[in-house]
Amino acid sequence: MKISIIGYKNHAIRLRKILKKIGYDDILNFNHHVNTDKDIKDVDVFFISSPSDTHMGWIEKLSIYNKYIFCEKPPVTNLEDLDKIKNYRDKLYFNFNYRFSYLVKVIEEYNITKELGVPIHINCFSTHGIAFKDNFKKDWRFKSENIFSSITANLGIHYIDLISYLFGPIKNLDIKNLSIVSSGLADTSKITIDLNHCLCDIVLSYAAPFTNKISILYDNGIIELSNGIISVFKPRNTFDKNGLFIPPEKKIIKKFKGSRSYYDNALYESIKYFIESAKNNIRMSEKYYNQSIESNKILLDFIMDKN
């Protein structure tokens, strides 16, 4: 199977490495400065890893070949383009790979068994200090005026999708941004989400020490991801010898080498799902497709309301 990755920078390189790990070596990294449409004419599967505002153009261009298309999130950057792809396409897949993380497997199991009760609060932290690097001002995550290139949407949309996918429709969403390092595009963002009977806070920053944590507080326990380690704390009714509440017992469910290993595993599983579906001519999940459109719309609606 011949594969073309539309893009040639860091993430495209990650995709190529994972595809080779799965067992696919016939890969062309399409560089628009060098390659032409002739180079992709005979390709079997396409991966779109170009800037967000080019996704719709590539989807339209590649759809004429009737081949499977893997497109990085977000699907599109405006409501007009979203309307063009809102109806399910069985060979188009959007890479919201956090859905394939090990944490999601754990949460889904407990959501089914109800052993931890109902979720009350979700807290997410994803921070590191790239904004203090000398070359940051030249980085695409900082110099673009497009919100989908900023930390708010480029990273935040992963968490918005994850929460909507696992815990149901989002009632309200609010975003507040800060520029810690300079007066340019925001390098720090707080996203607040209201769900039915559950609240959520997401803090993202390129201007802070590294940490990567997700904590889901249920009425009978806690699920926690902390820098690649997934733990469960239960039950609520845990007491000391005097009958006073104490923290529940901690049980480590899965331990990755670190956050990079954890997220690489999620990306690997997402790519594997897509490539195996393409190989066997299986329709892409309609559930995944509709969730991708919904997550994209949630953010676009917020942007339009603010404007």
Side-chain angles (χ1 to χ4, degrees):
M1 189 157 60
K2 187 175 182 179
I3 299 169
S4 178
I5 300 174
I6 311 300
Y8 57 94
K9 293 187 177 180
N10 290 343
H11 192 66
I13 294 170
R14 285 182 72 197
L15 294 176
R16 186 184 185 97
K17 287 180 178 178
I18 291 175
L19 285 166
K20 285 190 173 183
K21 185 177 180 181
I22 295 173
Y24 294 91
D25 293 315
D26 193 359
I27 303 170
L28 166 70
N29 276 97
F30 185 93
N31 181 341
H32 68 277
H33 296 297
V34 177
N35 301 107
T36 67
D37 290 356
K38 292 180 181 179
D39 296 317
I40 59 175
K41 184 178 179 181
D42 299 322
V43 166
D44 299 304
V45 172
F46 298 103
F47 281 71
I48 301 173
S49 183
S50 54
S52 302
D53 56 1
T54 69
H55 288 180
M56 189 66 224
W58 277 112
I59 290 170
E60 290 179 328
K61 181 179 286 190
L62 299 177
S63 292
I64 65 172
Y65 298 107
N66 194 30
K67 303 291 178 64
Y68 283 82
I69 301 172
F70 175 108
C71 182
E72 278 300 338
K73 52 76 196 166
V76 295
T77 58
N78 61 72
L79 287 170
E80 182 180 352
D81 285 343
L82 189 68
D83 190 60
K84 295 176 184 177
I85 60 168
K86 66 181 181 181
N87 295 323
Y88 169 63
R89 301 187 186 189
D90 61 2
K91 291 185 176 180
L92 178 58
Y93 174 74
F94 299 107
N95 184 35
F96 285 93
N97 57 279
Y98 284 23
R99 300 175 197 161
F100 288 81
S101 65
Y102 203 91
L103 177 67
V104 167
K105 294 180 183 179
V106 175
I107 293 171
E108 286 180 329
E109 288 177 6
Y110 279 106
N111 283 354
I112 291 170
T113 65
K114 306 296 184 182
E115 183 181 351
L116 297 183
V118 297
I120 298 171
H121 185 259
I122 305 163
N123 196 18
C124 308
F125 273 91
S126 182
T127 65
H128 58 76
I130 192 175
F132 290 97
K133 290 189 174 183
D134 292 338
N135 61 351
F136 181 67
K137 290 185 178 181
K138 298 178 182 179
D139 191 280
W140 63 272
R141 285 166 287 190
F142 186 74
K143 67 181 181 179
S144 173
E145 295 182 359
N146 183 348
I147 190 173
F148 283 95
S149 295
S150 72
I151 191 171
T152 308
N154 182 55
L155 181 56
I157 196 170
H158 264 308
Y159 289 94
I160 291 168
D161 177 78
L162 185 68
I163 289 161
S164 178
Y165 175 72
L166 286 169
F167 298 103
I170 291 175
K171 292 172 59 180
N172 296 298
L173 179 142
D174 189 43
I175 300 173
K176 298 189 184 320
N177 293 322
L178 294 173
S179 294
I180 304 298
V181 176
S182 77
S183 58
L185 197 64
D187 52 43
T188 300
S189 182
K190 180 182 179 183
I191 303 171
T192 304
I193 293 173
D194 293 340
L195 303 157
N196 287 323
H197 309 296
C198 186
L199 302 175
C200 177
D201 295 301
I202 304 165
V203 175
L204 313 168
S205 183
Y206 293 149
F210 179 88
T211 189
N212 191 270
K213 296 181 180 180
I214 298 176
S215 179
I216 303 99
L217 177 68
Y218 293 81
D219 65 8
N220 193 42
I222 301 166
I223 299 176
E224 179 186 85
L225 167 70
S226 181
N227 299 318
I229 301 173
I230 300 168
S231 305
V232 173
F233 302 76
K234 64 183 176 89
R236 174 193 62 244
N237 291 341
T238 303
F239 307 99
D240 65 12
K241 62 182 181 181
N242 296 314
L244 300 176
F245 280 100
I246 57 174
E249 180 182 353
K250 175 181 178 179
K251 180 181 178 181
I252 295 177
I253 304 298
K254 183 73 172 179
K255 189 173 183 177
F256 290 86
K257 292 180 180 179
S259 290
R260 171 58 74 181
S261 175
Y262 167 81
Y263 286 111
D264 279 350
N265 177 259
L267 182 56
Y268 174 91
E269 293 295 337
S270 180
I271 293 171
K272 183 180 176 182
Y273 162 76
F274 168 79
I275 208 73
E276 290 299 312
S277 297
K279 176 185 175 182
N280 296 299
N281 198 29
I282 298 172
R283 292 158 59 95
M284 292 291 117
S285 165
E286 188 170 0
K287 176 184 176 181
Y288 289 159
Y289 190 96
N290 291 337
Q291 179 62 59
S292 299
I293 299 301
E294 176 63 20
S295 296
N296 202 165
K297 187 175 185 300
I298 289 167
L299 196 50
L300 285 171
D301 283 344
F302 174 82
I303 294 168
M304 292 303 296
D305 287 344
K306 290 298 180 181
N307 292 338

